[in-house]
Amino acid sequence: MLKQQINVLGFAGSLRKDSFNRALLREAINLSPEEMKITDFDLTEIPMFNEDVEKAEDPDIVTTFKDAIREADALLIVTPEYNNAIPGVLKNALDWASRGGKEAPLLKKPIAIMGGTPGRAGTAQAQAQLRQTLITTRSLVMVEPQVLISEVHRKFDEQGHLTDEKTGQYIQRLLNGLEDWIKHFNK
Amino acid sequence: MLKQQINVLGFAGSLRKDSFNRALLREAINLSPEEMKITDFDLTEIPMFNEDVEKAEDPDIVTTFKDAIREADALLIVTPEYNNAIPGVLKNALDWASRGGKEAPLLKKPIAIMGGTPGRAGTAQAQAQLRQTLITTRSLVMVEPQVLISEVHRKFDEQGHLTDEKTGQYIQRLLNGLEDWIKHFNK
């Protein structure tokens, strides 16, 4: 019996091309379980949230983003930490995606989160804020495992390939966990 | 003896034209003490933070914003609360302003914060996050009074004028407090 494919939409909260968090997302795509397909959504073109703009009409890229979330079985959010907190870039994308009442894309969406920092705390505060926000959106954020990659710059080679075996294992554990997590809500 | 003018840069975390938080900022401008001048900086054109862009050169509007912060004696940040948190728009502006090492505009800058929500909590969580972020930037955030305006939509008339006397008093108290707060660091 063929297993059904799980479609996961992934996005990273940094726009920098060589961002370590974008690299973590790429590794997640490489390491995903056989039946899981992770698609990378680039947040670069998402404009600033403005309720006046939304009232007229969502910009095309926002519609594309919101539809991609709706169509996905789950999200994988990869967050850097800027100033003890979620980057504005990522929060802004979530502000758009939180909108729409009963049709809001984030509503009841299963979500796994991970992130990395050059420092030791590995996005602990950014992830805590992310969970706080995703309570309001009534999203189904996976409880564990938590993946907080400290000293993330030491985990990749100069070409941006993961060289740290443990980091790879953490990511795989997260994705396997997500597979199980989704099942809880698809009975 | 003439008192020296205090220049305060104010900005609100909502881009909506009729935003209640922008209205609170306008009221602060109206109610400011004689020797204080508050200037409103509109965050609409601030682009998403991107370290690659910054590395090439700050966009003009970002340079203008950072210089305006540097030149101000203090900041007045007026924050709405989106999804239990700082709006992405506001956090993104602070992410830009946090940069520059010893020349970072937010470094040691005295800051007063306030905000309003249609609900009861009056931006309690957004303000807590703001304080958390402004610790990293080593800004001098005023401790008290705190100004959290609940049911903010009931405090203005249809033309956007403040009708609630107490809200006006809270804002005045905040601005008087800011005047004293600045003095602690200008001895």
Side-chain angles (χ1 to χ4, degrees):
Chain A
M1 194 183 106
L2 276 171
K3 284 194 189 177
Q4 214 179 339
Q5 182 171 283
I6 299 166
N7 293 305
V8 174
L9 188 77
F11 46 92
S14 167
L15 304 183
R16 186 166 71 94
K17 198 174 143 289
D18 295 332
S19 147
F20 292 111
N21 282 283
R22 294 181 85 159
L24 286 173
L25 176 53
R26 277 198 303 277
E27 290 305 324
I29 291 170
N30 293 339
L31 296 170
S32 61
E34 206 184 342
E35 59 279 15
M36 182 181 285
K37 192 189 167 207
I38 306 177
T39 311
D40 180 359
F41 194 100
D42 184 344
L43 300 181
T44 305
E45 301 301 328
I46 304 271
M48 289 294 164
F49 178 76
N50 182 330
E51 206 179 321
D52 292 331
V53 172
E54 183 193 50
K55 212 170 176 177
E57 193 174 31
D58 274 349
D60 287 348
I61 183 71
V62 170
T63 304
T64 305
F65 180 56
K66 290 174 76 168
D67 285 346
I69 295 175
R70 283 194 191 97
E71 285 159 20
D73 298 307
L75 304 183
L76 173 62
I77 301 180
V78 190
T79 186
E81 184 168 287
Y82 292 175
N83 300 309
N84 279 359
I86 306 179
V89 167
L90 176 57
K91 179 56 168 47
N92 181 67
L94 297 175
D95 287 339
W96 281 109
S98 72
R99 307 279 293 177
K102 287 181 183 172
E103 305 299 322
L106 291 176
L107 187 67
K108 296 188 184 178
K109 185 66 60 178
I111 301 179
I113 63 185
M114 64 178 191
T117 57
R120 295 294 180 92
T123 71
Q125 298 196 77
Q127 289 197 29
Q129 285 193 357
L130 204 44
R131 286 176 188 272
Q132 187 179 343
T133 275
L134 294 170
I135 287 166
T136 333
T137 57
R138 297 162 61 201
S139 307
L140 303 166
V141 180
M142 187 164 74
V143 176
E144 57 178 5
Q146 294 192 50
V147 177
L148 299 97
I149 311 296
S150 57
E151 300 186 316
V152 68
H153 56 297
R154 297 178 185 232
K155 310 292 161 71
F156 291 90
D157 65 18
E158 289 194 356
Q159 283 71 47
H161 298 124
L162 188 67
T163 52
D164 183 68
E165 202 178 324
K166 269 198 175 171
T167 298
Q169 288 166 359
Y170 294 144
I171 293 172
Q172 282 180 313
R173 222 176 287 164
L174 184 84
L175 299 176
N176 291 333
L178 182 58
E179 220 180 321
D180 290 339
W181 181 252
I182 294 169
K183 288 178 195 155
H184 291 298
F185 309 102
N186 290 332
K187 277 172 186 167
Chain B
M1 193 183 107
L2 276 171
K3 283 194 190 175
Q4 215 180 338
Q5 183 172 281
I6 299 166
N7 293 305
V8 175
L9 188 77
F11 47 91
S14 167
L15 304 184
R16 187 166 71 93
K17 198 173 145 291
D18 295 331
S19 147
F20 291 110
N21 282 283
R22 294 181 85 159
L24 287 173
L25 176 54
R26 276 197 304 276
E27 290 305 324
I29 292 171
N30 294 337
L31 296 169
S32 61
E34 207 184 341
E35 58 279 15
M36 181 180 285
K37 194 189 167 207
I38 306 177
T39 311
D40 180 358
F41 194 100
D42 184 344
L43 300 181
T44 304
E45 302 302 327
I46 304 271
M48 289 295 164
F49 178 76
N50 182 329
E51 207 179 321
D52 292 331
V53 172
E54 183 193 49
K55 211 171 178 177
E57 194 174 30
D58 274 350
D60 286 347
I61 182 72
V62 170
T63 303
T64 304
F65 180 56
K66 291 174 77 169
D67 285 346
I69 294 174
R70 282 193 192 98
E71 285 159 21
D73 298 305
L75 305 183
L76 173 62
I77 302 180
V78 189
T79 185
E81 183 168 288
Y82 293 175
N83 301 308
N84 279 1
I86 305 179
V89 167
L90 176 57
K91 179 57 168 48
N92 180 66
L94 298 175
D95 288 339
W96 282 109
S98 72
R99 307 280 293 179
K102 287 179 183 173
E103 304 300 322
L106 292 175
L107 186 66
K108 297 188 183 177
K109 184 64 61 179
I111 301 179
I113 63 184
M114 65 178 190
T117 57
R120 296 292 180 93
T123 70
Q125 297 195 78
Q127 289 197 31
Q129 286 192 357
L130 204 43
R131 286 175 188 273
Q132 187 179 343
T133 276
L134 294 169
I135 288 167
T136 335
T137 57
R138 298 163 59 203
S139 308
L140 303 166
V141 180
M142 186 165 74
V143 176
E144 56 177 5
Q146 295 193 47
V147 177
L148 300 96
I149 311 295
S150 57
E151 300 187 318
V152 69
H153 57 296
R154 297 178 185 232
K155 310 291 161 74
F156 291 89
D157 66 18
E158 289 193 357
Q159 283 72 47
H161 299 123
L162 188 67
T163 53
D164 184 67
E165 203 178 325
K166 270 200 174 169
T167 298
Q169 288 166 359
Y170 294 145
I171 293 172
Q172 282 180 312
R173 222 175 288 164
L174 185 83
L175 298 177
N176 291 332
L178 181 60
E179 219 179 322
D180 292 337
W181 181 251
I182 294 169
K183 287 178 194 153
H184 291 298
F185 310 102
N186 288 332
K187 279 174 185 166

